[in-house]
Amino acid sequence: MNIADRPTDVQLPRMYNKEENPKAPTIEDWIGVCTRIFKSDNIPNKAIVKLVAVFLGQSIDFCGALMSNVYDDEVRKWVSGVRVKGVGRGS
């Protein structure tokens, strides 16, 4: 996740020093990270490419946050479907 935290300072394999190695993430980097994030959801590659293209200005971590929000929404739907009152409403 270093590329998400510090996208312009990526350590290369077997380089364990303080020397910076500037690298901006490429579209291929984005697609690779997003493919791994959504792997268990079986999202088609075409959809991941479109997601990357639409949100290219965001940080790569945006895709992880997006997935998390989708799961949160599904849990909320499930809770409301089993009619548990007040869950998640601070009461």
Side-chain angles (χ1 to χ4, degrees), residues 34-43 67 71:
C34 290
T35 298
R36 287 186 294 282
I37 287 172
F38 294 108
K39 183 178 181 178
S40 64
D41 297 306
N42 297 315
I43 305 296
M67 184 185 72
Y71 284 129

Side-chain angles (χ1 to χ4, degrees), residues 1-2 5 7 12-13 22 30 43 47 55 57 63 67 70 73 84 89:
M1 287 307 294
N2 186 51
D5 297 333
L12 301 174
W30 274 72
I43 305 296
F55 295 105
C63 295
M67 184 185 72
V70 169
D73 291 345
V84 177
R89 303 219 186 272

Side-chain angles (χ1 to χ4, degrees), residues 40-88:
S40 64
D41 297 306
N42 297 315
I43 305 296
N45 191 54
K46 184 177 179 180
I48 290 173
V49 170
K50 184 174 182 178
L51 179 74
V52 168
V54 170
F55 295 105
L56 194 56
Q58 297 290 331
S59 68
I60 289 179
D61 186 47
F62 171 82
C63 295
L66 177 65
M67 184 185 72
S68 178
N69 283 319
V70 169
Y71 284 129
D72 289 347
D73 291 345
E74 291 302 312
V75 169
R76 282 187 199 95
K77 284 182 202 174
W78 177 80
V79 168
S80 67
V82 295
R83 302 182 192 278
V84 177
K85 293 182 180 181
V87 173

